[in-house]
Amino acid sequence: MRHILSILTKNETGVISRVSNLFSGRGYSIESITASTTLDKEHSKITIVTTGDEKVIEQITKQLHRLIPIIKITEMKPDNSICHELMFVKIKVKDDDRAEIIKLIELFGAKILNISQREYIIQAVGDENHIKSLIELLKPIGIKEIICSGAVAIGRQ
Amino acid sequence: MEQDVSASKTLTGAQILIESLKKEGVDKVFGYPGGAILDIYEALYHETEIKHYLVRHEQAAVHAAEGYARVSGKCGVAIVTSGPGATNTVTGIANAYLDGYPIVVFTGQVSANLIGNDAFQEADIVGITRACCKHNYLVKDIKDLTRTIKEAFHIATTGKPGPVVVDLAKNIMTATCEFEYPDKVNLQGYKPNYKGNTKQITQAVQLLCRAKRPVIIAGGGVLLSDACNELRELAKRLEIPVANTLMGVGTYPANDYLSLGMLGMHGNYWANFAVNDCDVLLAIGTRFNDRITGSLKKFAQDAKIIHIDIDPCSISKNVQVDIPIVGDAKLTLQTMLKELDSNHYDVNETFKKMWFQVIKEWKTKRAIPEIRSEKLHAHTVLSGIYEYTKDMNPIVTTEVGQHQMWTVQAFNFNEPRKLVTSGGLGTMGFGFPAAMGAVLGQGNPVICIAGDGSIQMNIQELMTCVDYKLPVKVMIMDNGYLGMVRQWQEKLYDGHYSQTKISSPDYVKLAEAYGAKGIRVEKEEEIVPALKEAFEYDGPVFIDFIIEPLEMVYPWVLSGKPLDNVLLSDKG
């Protein structure tokens, strides 16, 4: 099972290393990890996407709490959060495909960031399914390169 | 005139370190000087309140600090230089981490402006120790120094105790700053939970009172939270037999009728059976290490399990529990006792009688050492040492291996902090330097029981013992093998003794060369005279007991087998 953990930490050197060390040392997986400072520059937010059953997630949460700079850990579930990632995708462009591409971009709320004669660079933002579907639809057209930011999540009421 | 440096307020980083140590009540440190920490040693040169003990290897400084912490209950301190000085401490730090004892290790670091340049004797010790300490710091700014030291001692000694590493960049040792030691720490992310959930505690008490076949497992957490009296009272009031882990040795008096002694791989037959057959298990301050559970699937299958631990990670990590209580063992047990006072609980005497009858029958099953040769048997030697020393109430440290298990079997420990042994990490080379720390932590007498393999791992510390007249009595169970590994090879690898035959120097001559006393014992009648000579001698002694080479440790539950698959001899 995929789980998204949002971790509030003190903003100090080595925190990401402590977190990633813990994951590798104890054999937990990291699908993606992102980090940045919060409004309060004293703190950072780390978002980790990991996989495991409930027992594993419970251990991960407890182990993370053991790290001194970590203040709070929240599991982000679909009903109480929004979780998106950003993707840049570079695709090969043939004249026949242009209309199809434009249609897809509109449909997915994506943007073209760069246009050259033979390739487009597209930016898409959305949840896991959104990004995956776009990739599947772009594949037949010809994807040259993909880069994803990793997920960021925010709680909601 | 003696100058009071702390009164003059503006101090160098090195002076601030020393003054901060005093504020933390430190009066003994173990260490080894070097380039990056010359300034600290300059400050120590002028120091009268803190005594520095010069070891012969940095690993030993950390083990000694842990030995000191284990017997005194205070925080141990080690100071080492950068690079190799720092990397040599890693095993010591990992050892304290796994057994949960408070130490603070100060490591030197190259100047802040050189960090990352592969400077001479530079090592990223904060990166290296991240996975084996409770927390660590790199201090690059003198303004952070006192706060960091305060936090380091606070983190090391609270919650589940553990080692904290403070890496000190060389430049801050000569920088100056006003000395003001903080009264409080402010750590948003570190607030150990001491008070267990009252509802859970009530449920636990109800469950224990209803139990027909209850058992308590007492772990190192009982010792660390000073909960031995509370444990005794609870066990007595509810008449519950108590087994202990290796770390929990002495938390319940071994000579009490409720004591089952140690459980686990080399634990007592009856302790293992009682834990496996119980209907309610109260585990206190233990993380259910594989050495005590055997096969997890078969572990206490029919039991409802109550688990008290201050570290939430320990709960439901290895064994799924029914009533988890995150909290301090002492406080939780006190609440349980209050609950017993304030409500009427009935304990079913009939069931209890039946349970004790069953345990009594199990208690007839003992491992009987087989006589193979004319040579001394380990049990003969160790019971000889025990009988000779028991009225002195000694502190016993051990190394790791067969002799360690034999010691636990031969000695009755009736008080906590009397056995100092490496449980979690299983560090050969721990016992001897830990014994030096134990002498300084509590005094005499201190016995170190060692194997001929493990004593050679930190044997250089004999010089430290001689220098400071630390009267550690080292008893070497000399069987010419790395006995525990050989034992596994015997049973599981068709007797292929791959690299386990190990030779030794002449320990008598060696001890004499160091300026200590050396005695060799080969016959039973020599044991008592040798011990007499050793304890009459005012200084460190090595006694080399030449014992039967092929003796095995029994009882034995093979790794991964259920706890009740106990082998009592070579024949099963």
Side-chain angles (χ1 to χ4, degrees), chain B residues 185-206:
Chain B
V185 291
N186 178 21
L187 291 161
Q188 246 186 310
Y190 179 72
K191 294 191 172 76
N193 186 34
Y194 285 89
K195 206 177 158 301
N197 181 306
T198 328
K199 228 174 96 188
Q200 304 278 80
I201 293 176
T202 309
Q203 275 183 24
V205 172
Q206 286 166 353

Side-chain angles (χ1 to χ4, degrees), chain A residues 43-65:
Chain A
H43 295 143
S44 295
K45 245 320 168 27
I46 301 175
T47 310
I48 288 193
V49 182
T50 181
T51 48
D53 57 23
E54 287 303 326
K55 208 185 150 204
V56 171
I57 300 303
E58 187 190 324
Q59 261 302 311
I60 292 177
T61 310
K62 286 176 175 177
Q63 294 287 355
L64 283 168
H65 266 300

Side-chain angles (χ1 to χ4, degrees), chain A residues 70-126:
Chain A
I70 288 182
I71 297 162
K72 197 177 170 202
I73 301 154
T74 320
E75 180 166 2
M76 295 294 184
K77 296 194 165 158
D79 56 350
N80 69 4
S81 69
I82 294 166
C83 176
H84 279 180
E85 63 183 309
L86 179 142
M87 170 179 72
F88 293 153
V89 53
K90 198 184 279 177
I91 51 171
K92 284 183 242 169
V93 178
K94 296 189 285 296
D95 286 345
D96 297 352
D97 294 332
R98 283 184 208 273
E100 169 75 8
I101 293 167
I102 302 293
K103 208 173 79 192
L104 274 176
I105 284 168
E106 234 170 65
L107 206 60
F108 277 81
K111 265 191 207 164
I112 301 178
L113 297 183
N114 192 63
I115 298 180
S116 66
Q117 212 164 16
R118 293 181 188 281
E119 67 175 38
Y120 288 176
I121 295 174
I122 297 167
Q123 169 190 296
V125 175

Side-chain angles (χ1 to χ4, degrees), chain A residues 10 12-14 17-18 21 26 43 55 58-59 62-63 65-71, chain B residues 97 126-127 130-131 134-136 155 160 187-190 311-313 315-317 320:
Chain A
K10 274 191 77 184
E12 61 182 37
T13 324
S17 165
R18 284 180 205 279
N21 248 355
R26 294 187 181 268
H43 295 143
K55 208 185 150 204
E58 187 190 324
Q59 261 302 311
K62 286 176 175 177
Q63 294 287 355
H65 266 300
R66 245 188 178 185
L67 300 178
I68 309 290
I70 288 182
I71 297 162
Chain B
Y97 187 51
V126 167
R130 212 164 261 155
K134 194 169 168 187
H135 195 48
N136 59 19
I155 291 168
K160 179 180 178 173
L187 291 161
Q188 246 186 310
Y190 179 72
D311 179 7
C313 293
I315 291 175
S316 292
K317 177 171 66 183
Q320 277 301 320

